[in-house]
Amino acid sequence: SQQGEEDPQALSIQEGENATMNCSYKTSINNLQWYRQNSGRGLVHLILIRSNEREKHSGRLRVTLDTSKKSSSLLITASRAADTASYFCATSGGATNKLIFGTGTLLAVQP
Amino acid sequence: EAGVTQSPTHLIKTRGQQATLRCSPISGHTSVYWYQQALGLGLQFLLWYDEGEERNRGNFPPRFSGRQFPNYSSELNVNALELEDSALYLCASSLGRTSGVADTQYFGPGTRLTVL
C-alpha cells in the first residue's frame, strides 16, 4: 500500500516560474528521496535527504524535510519545458531498504 | 558508466502464461529491487535481493518470484499471469545492505508487461 501522499496531484505552470510539490508520509524514516518519471519510463533519481537533514540543494532543486510533521517539499526554480514529468517522493525506513512511494505529482511546464 | 538495464522493453503474454523479466544492476551494486507500477495502484515494492539472497518481499502472491545470480543480475518470474499483472515493472540497484550508507536506488527503464 502507498504510504505517501503528494500534493498537488497535478500542477501546470509557465516556463520560468517556480514549482513546489509536497509529500507527506506516515511512519518514521531513514531517508526520503525524490524521483522524476517521464511518460511512464524509468525513474530518474533527483535528490536524497536523510532524516537528520532539514534542507538540501542540487542545482535548481531545493528539498526540505520536516520529520515532526512527516512532510517534505520539492521546489524546482526557474522551470523549463523539459521539467514536464511526474515527480514522486519515496521513503525508506528500518532495515528493509524498500522504498515506499507517494502518489506522485504531474507537472506540466508550458513554454 | 552503464546504468541499470532491463530486458525486454515490452512483453505481451496471455492469461495463464509465465513471464520472465531480467535486470542488470550498475557495476559494483549488489542489491537489486523490483517494483510494480500498475495503473491506479502506483509504485509498489515487490522484492529485494542482496548478495544472492531474498532480503524482503512486498505484499504480492507467491506467483511472483525471482532470483539473483552470482554476477548480481536478477530475474523476476510471474507465473499464472492474470490480467491485473499488466504493469510497468521497474528494477533498481544500490550498494549492498552492508555498505553502511543511506542507499540511493537507481532505476532502469522498465519492462512493460501486457497480459491479454
Side-chain angles (χ1 to χ4, degrees), chain A residues 2 35 37 40 42 96-97 99, chain B residues 33 35 37 42 48 88 105 108:
Chain A
Q2 296 280 7
Y35 288 87
Q37 185 178 39
T96 66
N97 276 20
L99 293 178
Chain B
Y33 311 81
Y35 294 85
Q37 187 176 29
W48 170 31
L88 180 67
Q105 293 185 23

Side-chain angles (χ1 to χ4, degrees), chain A residues 5-111:
Chain A
E5 293 289 331
E6 292 187 57
D7 171 59
Q9 284 188 319
L11 179 61
S12 181
I13 59 175
Q14 297 294 123
E15 240 180 352
E17 293 181 336
N18 296 341
T20 299
M21 288 159 265
N22 303 296
C23 165
S24 61
Y25 56 91
K26 296 177 183 173
T27 61
S28 62
I29 61 172
N30 292 334
N31 62 68
L32 185 146
Q33 305 182 53
W34 284 90
Y35 288 87
R36 184 184 76 226
Q37 185 178 39
N38 291 84
S39 301
R41 296 178 59 83
L43 299 173
V44 174
H45 183 261
L46 296 176
I47 199 164
L48 179 152
I49 186 165
R50 294 179 173 80
S51 59
N52 61 353
E53 297 176 312
R54 291 297 166 258
E55 189 171 311
K56 206 160 181 182
H57 296 256
S58 177
R60 295 185 295 114
L61 306 180
R62 173 179 170 256
V63 168
T64 62
L65 179 64
D66 187 334
T67 53
S68 67
K69 295 181 179 178
K70 291 187 169 60
S71 67
S72 174
S73 68
L74 170 67
L75 168 67
I76 303 174
T77 59
S79 62
R80 305 166 181 168
D83 295 330
T84 295
S86 292
Y87 290 81
F88 294 90
C89 66
T91 58
S92 68
T96 66
N97 276 20
K98 70 179 182 184
L99 293 178
I100 299 175
F101 283 86
T103 49
T105 293
L106 178 59
L107 173 66
V109 181
Q110 311 297 333

